[in-house]
Amino acid sequence: MRTRAAVLREPETEYEIVELEVLDPGPGEVLVQMAYAGLCHSDEHLRHSNPGGRYPIVGGHEGSGVVQAVGPGVTAVAPGDHVVTSFLPACGHCRFCAAGRSNLCDKGATIASGQLPSGTFPFRLDGEPLGGFCMIGAFAEHSLLSEFSCVKIDPWLPLDTAALVACSVPTGWGSAVYSGGVRPGDTVVVLGLGGVGANAVQGAVHAGALHVVGVDPVALKREFAESIGATHTVGTAGEAADLARQLSRGTGAEVVVVTVGRMSAEVMTDAMSCLGKGGTLVLTALGDRVSDGNVGLAGQLATVFEHRIQGSLFGSCNPFRDIPMLLRLHEEGRLELDGLITRRYALDELNQGYRDQAAGETIRGLLDHSLGR
């Protein structure tokens, strides 16, 4: 079938809206009509570089939709099912899935190119095969996914808020709860209060943190963080470091979560200034390029203060466990999702959505595919 999609033809360009062909589902594959897609900053990184990947590529990885057709052997979902995409597939059988670390599933090796586990590329543009970012391509009105990337959800759940639990919500929430191991009574600092950082605040609150300090230069984001449980918000890391020492009565934060839009050595230095003895620094942020994320570490201080540096991919979450759990928390009034959506955009407005994000005007922009149909 043919569908409309936002494609990056090469680095340092804007998304181009094109019509392309979507392949029929083969063994283990699922055709999904996408309903919504979150405007995640990772897709903005994709606009600048795609390490290990290729161009052209269909953007978008945080999505929700309805299954249209399934290929041979698919048992997890059926036509008509509502699904949330998992930008990290989980096969359930590789050594990482078997060890309870499905966010590191071996099937995720080709997410940068968008090649499906079957070895095929889901789209054709002018006869050229191309993939969807993270094997999803949620910026297409229809996409072909691996069944390992489809998480079935209850049909009564709104698909707009459900899209957010495909990436930003579990990534932020899990960065605090799982990767950071926040415990009751902790002082927590979250650097960056966008779509991921706001949910790191919610995770820290859920885990029982006594103090949650949100750091962001944008007043809109600080105000929203306070509405979902941040006990303090400040504009700079220097203010956060002073506040963390004061709130912890001299030691510093037990957990610092870095969720800024762009990682750098300066951000790392700022984060370390907030961290107390025996604390854990969680690195969730990425750079535009691999080298942009290179950071320094004061090794002697890390040794004598027993600092722990923890990388966090998808918040160390398991999509098939945590996506339904987070939606249930929302359903029961224990997790805010609706307020995360600041603005909605049609497919043709996607580039404007990312300009709004860069200007600090959104917590989460949401692509609504129905606006373009």
Side-chain angles (χ1 to χ4, degrees):
M1 66 176 299
R2 299 193 66 80
T3 196
R4 295 174 73 237
V7 170
L8 287 171
R9 291 188 183 269
E10 57 186 23
E12 305 301 342
T13 61
E14 290 198 329
Y15 284 98
E16 179 183 344
I17 309 305
V18 302
E19 186 177 274
L20 44 69
E21 181 184 357
V22 188
L23 272 62
D24 293 331
E29 296 170 353
V30 180
L31 178 66
V32 175
Q33 180 174 340
M34 304 304 300
Y36 298 93
L39 273 59
C40 183
H41 203 280
S42 295
D43 295 284
E44 178 65 4
H45 291 310
L46 178 68
R47 201 168 62 82
H48 300 291
S49 70
N50 187 14
R54 65 199 294 270
Y55 296 93
I57 191 167
V58 177
H61 65 283
E62 181 179 89
S64 62
V66 180
V67 175
Q68 300 297 294
V70 301
V74 173
T75 58
V77 295
D81 284 347
H82 290 196
V83 295
V84 167
T85 63
S86 174
F87 78 92
L88 293 169
C91 71
H93 302 292
C94 70
R95 58 175 176 158
F96 292 102
C97 284
R101 305 182 70 188
S102 61
N103 61 315
L104 300 177
C105 177
D106 288 340
K107 297 297 183 185
T110 58
I111 62 173
S113 69
Q115 186 178 31
L116 298 178
S118 63
T120 63
F121 287 92
F123 302 105
R124 296 289 184 273
L125 177 61
D126 300 327
E128 178 183 1
L130 68 159
F133 186 42
C134 293
M135 297 162 54
I136 302 296
F139 293 166
E141 292 179 344
H142 299 82
S143 188
L144 184 67
L145 280 60
S146 164
E147 67 173 324
F148 300 145
S149 300
C150 295
V151 180
K152 182 179 176 180
I153 64 171
D154 293 320
W156 60 81
L157 295 174
L159 284 171
D160 54 354
T161 49
L164 304 184
V165 299
C167 175
S168 58
V169 176
T171 297
W173 193 91
S175 291
V177 176
Y178 296 143
S179 305
V182 173
R183 295 175 296 182
D186 279 354
T187 295
V188 178
V189 174
V190 179
L191 295 176
L193 297 174
V196 175
N199 289 292
V201 168
Q202 294 204 83
V205 171
H206 181 94
L210 182 60
H211 306 291
V212 181
V213 181
V215 186
D216 202 290
V218 179
L220 165 73
K221 296 180 181 181
R222 296 197 301 270
E223 291 166 5
F224 182 73
E226 291 173 3
S227 76
I228 55 175
T231 57
H232 305 75
T233 59
V234 292
T236 68
E239 295 173 278
D242 291 340
L243 193 53
R245 285 189 290 272
Q246 174 189 334
L247 295 171
S248 62
R249 297 183 177 175
T251 61
E254 279 84 12
V255 180
V256 176
V257 185
V258 181
T259 56
V260 297
R262 185 175 300 162
M263 188 59 188
S264 67
E266 180 182 1
V267 170
M268 179 74 167
T269 300
D270 289 342
M272 292 299 295
S273 72
C274 301
L275 193 64
K277 290 191 294 185
T280 298
L281 176 61
V282 180
L283 299 180
T284 305
L286 297 171
D288 280 342
R289 298 166 180 83
V290 172
S291 60
D292 294 343
N294 291 346
V295 295
L297 175 66
Q300 190 153 322
L301 289 179
T303 297
V304 299
F305 289 159
E306 285 204 338
H307 287 155
R308 175 176 297 176
I309 314 300
Q310 175 67 55
S312 182
L313 178 64
F314 194 44
S316 304
C317 285
N318 176 327
F320 291 97
R321 174 194 65 195
D322 291 307
I323 285 175
M325 180 271 293
L326 291 166
L327 288 171
R328 182 64 186 273
L329 285 176
H330 174 60
E331 197 176 4
E332 298 291 338
R334 300 286 301 278
L335 183 72
E336 176 59 45
L337 295 182
D338 300 270
L340 294 167
I341 302 172
T342 312
R343 295 181 187 172
R344 298 167 186 251
Y345 302 90
L347 184 60
D348 293 322
E349 300 171 319
L350 182 64
N351 289 310
Q352 181 59 49
Y354 275 107
R355 286 191 285 270
D356 291 345
Q357 182 187 92
E361 297 176 0
T362 59
I363 304 298
R364 201 51 153 197
L366 187 71
L367 171 60
D368 182 345
H369 281 293
S370 71
L371 296 177
R373 291 183 177 132

